């Protein structure tokens, strides 16, 4: 390419980053413009007057006066090489990030698993002083009073306190669900209060002769077996250190109890049977028969067929309760969802659950055998009494 080049001192000043390109306006030449011409080898500047002399084929009217605006300070090959190097660095960095990504995700998952395990194993405390739990504890306190009143034949007061216990049992569950006041302590103490009330009523009514002994043994055996397995579950699932103070600290949950459907139905039928027995005992309480509701009680008994009709109804309800009690007790021996142990060690939880179910099975099985023995002896005594009555009738005849 033909043309005049700028002196080296001027070119150095132009390329100096501190001076910038504005130094072109300081050139001493007048009415001479520079035309930037880029080639594959370098970037150079050509004066337009020289261009007219050296290359007359170029029309000078096509050139306009303008400042120096170099299109590049490096050659095309250098620029291409730099682009390739930059692309190589970018691809290498992307490959490194992709290689580090699986490791980062794995470490994140491991940290989350460890955090969840630590949260499960860390003891936590609950706010147990709320209205549903207060109602549950009041039912626990009222239960021994009900038993005392039954034993001493104060059936009217016993029935009134029993009605309060039944209503509070329904009310505390509704309040807990309505205002989201469920606690692990409530899930344990509420069925415990129900079983304590059931055990007290069954024992006292069996002592009075109102409830058959085989059915009483069956109901008590199921509750006692559940209590033994619950004691084991509490001790086995309690985080270390296992002390007596921590064992009876109900604000430190270690296991959750989830009653089955048949168990809830059985509880309802048992309460219905015991409430019916308390109502029939009112007919033998003078304070109840002479009260304002005494006439209503006698009229209800007459509608049911008198004393014989009431006795037949109680026998039918007893048979239904016996069947549901046996089924619900046996369900606790094979159901793995009835009792959920809290913690992160799944193998230990399975082992503890199996041991608790075996304790339940052995205990309830022995009580079933006792109930069958009592029922067989009762049937034998009834047969002997019938035969003795027939002999007396034949002798008198």
């Amino acid at each position: 390419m033909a043309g005049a080049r700028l002196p080296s001192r001027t070119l150095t000043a132009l390329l100096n980053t501190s001076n910038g390109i504005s130094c072109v306006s300081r050139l001493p030449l007048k009415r001479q413009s520079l035309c930037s011409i880029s080639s594959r080898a370098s970037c150079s500047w050509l004066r337009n007057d020289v261009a007219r002399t050296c290359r007359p084929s170029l029309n000078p009217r096509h050139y306009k006066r303008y400042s120096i605006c170099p299109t590049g300070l490096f050659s095309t090959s250098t620029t291409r090489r730099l682009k390739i190097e930059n692309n190589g660095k970018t691809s290498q960095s992307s490959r490194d990030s992709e290689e580090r990504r699986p490791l980062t995700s794995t470490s994140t998952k491991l940290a989350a698993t460890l955090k969840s395990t630590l949260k499960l194993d860390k003891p936590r405390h609950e706010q147990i002083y709320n209205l549903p739990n207060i109602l549950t504890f009041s039912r626990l306190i009222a239960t021994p009073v009900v038993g005392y009143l039954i034993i001493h034949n104060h059936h009217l007061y016993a029935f009134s306190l029993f009605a309060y216990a039944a209503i509070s049992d329904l009310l505390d569950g509704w309040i807990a669900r309505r205002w989201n006041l469920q606690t692990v302590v409530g899930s344990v103490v509420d069925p415990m209060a129900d079983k304590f009330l059931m055990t007290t009523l069954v024992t006292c009514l069996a002592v009075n002769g109102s409830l058959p002994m085989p059915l009483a043994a069956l109901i008590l055996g199921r509750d006692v077996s559940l209590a033994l397995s619950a004691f084991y579950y509490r001790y086995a699932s309690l985080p270390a250190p296992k002390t007596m103070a921590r064992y009876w600290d109900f604000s430190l949950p270690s296991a959750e109890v989830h009653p089955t459907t048949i168990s809830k139905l059985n509880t309802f039928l048992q309460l219905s049977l015991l409430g019916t027995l308390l109502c029939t005992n009112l007919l033998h309480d003078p304070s109840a028969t002479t009260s304002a509701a005494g006439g209503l009680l006698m009229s209800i008994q007459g509608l049911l067929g008198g004393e014989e009709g009431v006795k037949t109804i109680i026998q039918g309800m007893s048979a239904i309760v016996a069947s549901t009690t046996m089924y619900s007790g046996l369900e606790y021996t094979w159901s793995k969802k009835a009792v959920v142990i809290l913690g992160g060690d799944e193998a230990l939880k399975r082992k503890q659950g199996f041991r608790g179910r075996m304790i339940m099975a052995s205990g309830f099985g022995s009580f079933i055998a006792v109930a069958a023995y009592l029922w067989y002896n009762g049937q034998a005594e009834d047969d002997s009494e019938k035969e003795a009555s027939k002999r007396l009738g034949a002798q008198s005849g």
Side-chain angles (χ1 to χ4, degrees):
M1 177 183 297
R5 297 184 178 272
L6 293 176
S8 60
R9 186 173 57 187
T10 306
L11 182 60
T12 304
L14 289 174
L15 296 179
N16 192 359
T17 57
S18 62
N19 294 331
I21 303 177
S22 61
C23 62
V24 178
S25 60
R26 303 174 187 175
L27 293 176
L29 299 179
K30 296 182 180 180
R31 302 192 64 182
Q32 293 183 358
S33 61
L34 296 178
C35 178
S36 62
I37 300 178
S38 299
S39 66
R40 296 180 60 87
S42 62
C43 178
S44 59
W45 288 265
L46 186 66
R47 290 194 323 202
N48 55 2
D49 57 346
V50 178
R52 285 195 298 268
T53 305
C54 299
R55 301 185 65 178
S57 60
L58 296 177
N59 191 0
R61 288 179 296 182
H62 294 290
Y63 295 93
K64 297 181 180 180
R65 180 173 292 182
Y66 56 89
S67 300
I68 297 176
C69 296
T71 57
L73 298 178
F74 300 98
S75 63
T76 308
S77 60
T78 305
T79 305
R80 185 181 296 109
R81 181 172 56 82
L82 291 176
K83 287 183 180 180
I84 293 174
E85 291 179 357
N86 291 334
N87 292 333
K89 291 181 181 180
T90 305
S91 61
Q92 182 67 25
S93 62
S94 64
R95 283 196 298 270
D96 294 340
S97 63
E98 289 178 357
E99 290 176 358
R100 288 194 298 269
R101 190 176 303 162
L103 182 60
T104 305
S105 61
T106 305
S107 61
T108 304
K109 291 180 181 179
L110 182 60
T113 304
L114 182 60
K115 187 177 181 181
S116 62
T117 305
L118 293 176
K119 281 185 178 180
L120 289 175
D121 293 337
K122 184 178 179 181
R124 57 189 178 90
H125 291 269
E126 291 183 323
Q127 179 61 35
I128 63 174
Y129 299 103
N130 51 34
L131 183 57
N133 290 340
I134 291 174
L135 291 175
T136 302
F137 282 107
S138 68
R139 189 163 67 253
L140 279 172
I141 296 172
T143 298
V145 182
V146 174
Y148 175 83
L149 295 174
I150 292 174
I151 292 295
H152 291 83
N153 296 322
H154 299 292
H155 300 293
L156 180 61
Y157 301 109
F159 180 79
S160 302
L161 203 54
F162 169 76
Y164 163 77
I167 294 173
S168 65
D169 188 18
L170 297 175
L171 191 61
D172 61 1
W174 179 79
I175 293 175
R177 291 188 298 271
R178 177 65 177 80
W179 282 278
N180 195 19
L181 297 175
Q182 296 96 335
T183 59
V184 177
V185 175
S187 68
V188 175
V189 178
D190 184 70
M192 185 186 300
D194 294 338
K195 298 311 172 187
F196 185 41
L197 177 62
M198 196 75 61
T199 302
T200 303
L201 291 176
V202 169
T203 304
C204 296
L205 290 173
V207 169
N208 280 348
S210 303
L211 188 68
M213 288 301 296
L215 181 57
L218 201 61
I219 295 174
L220 292 176
R222 175 183 174 274
D223 294 341
V224 170
S225 301
L226 285 174
L228 291 176
S229 61
F231 286 140
Y232 168 76
Y233 280 126
R234 175 62 175 173
Y235 177 79
S237 61
L238 184 67
K242 299 179 184 294
T243 61
M244 291 298 294
R246 287 168 56 84
Y247 185 89
W248 296 107
D249 185 6
F250 293 110
S251 65
L252 186 64
S254 59
E256 292 181 350
V257 179
H258 302 282
T260 59
T261 303
I262 189 63
S263 178
K264 295 178 181 179
L265 177 62
N266 179 61
T267 302
F268 172 75
L269 293 175
Q270 287 180 358
L271 288 174
S272 300
L273 175 62
L274 297 177
T276 304
L277 292 176
L278 289 176
C279 288
T280 56
N281 288 336
L282 291 176
L283 299 173
H284 306 285
D285 189 358
S287 60
T289 54
T290 57
S291 64
L296 179 62
L297 291 174
M298 298 303 295
S299 61
I300 293 175
Q301 183 181 6
L303 292 174
L304 295 176
E307 294 183 1
E308 292 297 329
V310 172
K311 185 177 179 180
T312 303
I313 292 174
I314 291 176
Q315 289 177 352
M317 293 179 66
S318 300
I320 295 173
V321 168
S323 61
T324 56
T325 301
M326 289 184 62
Y327 185 83
S328 63
L330 293 175
E331 189 178 14
Y332 277 103
T333 63
W334 70 70
S335 177
K336 297 180 181 180
K337 298 180 180 180
V339 179
V340 178
I341 300 175
L342 304 179
D345 194 345
E346 296 295 333
L348 181 60
K349 287 164 61 177
R350 287 193 296 268
K351 185 185 296 183
Q352 293 172 349
F354 177 76
R355 290 176 180 175
R357 292 193 299 272
M358 291 301 101
I359 292 173
M360 176 65 191
S362 59
F364 190 52
S366 61
F367 278 100
I368 289 176
V370 171
Y373 176 77
L374 292 175
W375 179 80
Y376 178 78
N377 286 340
Q379 292 295 324
E381 290 178 359
D382 291 341
D383 292 340
S384 62
E385 288 179 359
K386 288 180 181 179
E387 290 178 0
S389 63
K390 287 181 181 179
R391 291 195 196 98
L392 291 176
Q395 289 177 2
S396 63

